[in-house]
């Protein structure tokens, strides 16, 4: 059974940093795009960053330069390094695995980890 387990969330002051981790089981990173999404209270879930199996990264403009997504294939783990955090970054952060062609259609979500940034 595929599992994505996020960790690393918590309470941090504005300007601080956190590193989120997503441990993936039964996922072959070579055929998945791994991503981080977030959902703030009262808002829709939105993309934060993605990394393809070929290590091509994509960031939402507001996160560029502050957030970095990376993978450790040996550990089957994807990370999100978040620097210069702002109160508006407060949200539940979710890990996502999205199969790439020709396996498109297989997608999985973790249960999320809460990040709270105080002003």
């Amino acid at each position: 059974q595929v599992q994505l387990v996020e960790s690393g969330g918590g309470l941090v002051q504005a300007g601080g940093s956190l590193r989120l981790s997503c441990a993936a089981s039964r996922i072959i990173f070579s055929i998945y795009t791994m991503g981080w999404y977030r959902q703030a209270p009262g808002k829709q879930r939105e993309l934060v960053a993605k990394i393809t199996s070929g290590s091509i990264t994509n960031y939402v403009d507001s996160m560029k330069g502050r957030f970095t997504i990376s993978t450790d294939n040996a550990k089957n783990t994807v990370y999100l390094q978040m620097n210069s955090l702002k109160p508006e970054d407060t949200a539940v952060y979710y890990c996502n695995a999205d199969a790439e062609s020709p396996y498109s259609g297989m997608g999985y979500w973790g249960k999320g980890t809460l990040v709270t940034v105080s002003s």
Side-chain angles (χ1 to χ4, degrees), residues 38-49:
R38 70 184 186 185
Q39 187 166 17
K43 295 188 177 181
Q44 289 189 331
R45 191 173 297 188
E46 63 175 353
L47 173 68
V48 174

Side-chain angles (χ1 to χ4, degrees), residues 15 22 36-37 52 55 66 76-78 81-82 84-85 87 92 116 118:
C22 171
W36 285 97
Y37 290 71
T52 69
S55 298
R66 298 193 300 126
N76 246 37
T77 299
V78 58
Q81 177 67 43
M82 304 187 296
S84 302
L85 283 162
V92 178
T116 303
S118 63

Side-chain angles (χ1 to χ4, degrees), residues 15-118:
S17 298
L18 281 175
R19 188 177 80 155
L20 306 183
S21 300
C22 171
S25 60
R26 300 183 184 271
I27 288 279
I28 302 172
F29 277 15
S30 61
I31 63 169
Y32 281 87
T33 288
M34 302 301 296
W36 285 97
Y37 290 71
R38 70 184 186 185
Q39 187 166 17
K43 295 188 177 181
Q44 289 189 331
R45 191 173 297 188
E46 63 175 353
L47 173 68
V48 174
K50 295 191 293 186
I51 183 167
T52 69
S53 61
S55 298
I56 297 172
T57 57
N58 180 33
Y59 297 91
V60 172
D61 284 346
S62 60
M63 284 65 149
K64 285 181 181 177
R66 298 193 300 126
F67 292 4
T68 303
I69 189 170
S70 61
T71 56
D72 184 332
N73 290 350
K75 295 182 178 179
N76 246 37
T77 299
V78 58
Y79 302 99
L80 184 69
Q81 177 67 43
M82 304 187 296
N83 300 327
S84 302
L85 283 162
K86 306 174 182 179
E88 51 264 42
D89 294 319
T90 294
V92 178
Y93 284 72
Y94 296 91
C95 181
N96 171 261
D98 190 21
E100 298 170 356
S101 177
Y103 308 100
S104 302
M106 294 191 297
Y108 304 93
W109 291 94
K111 294 184 178 181
T113 185
L114 177 62
V115 171
T116 303
V117 184
S118 63

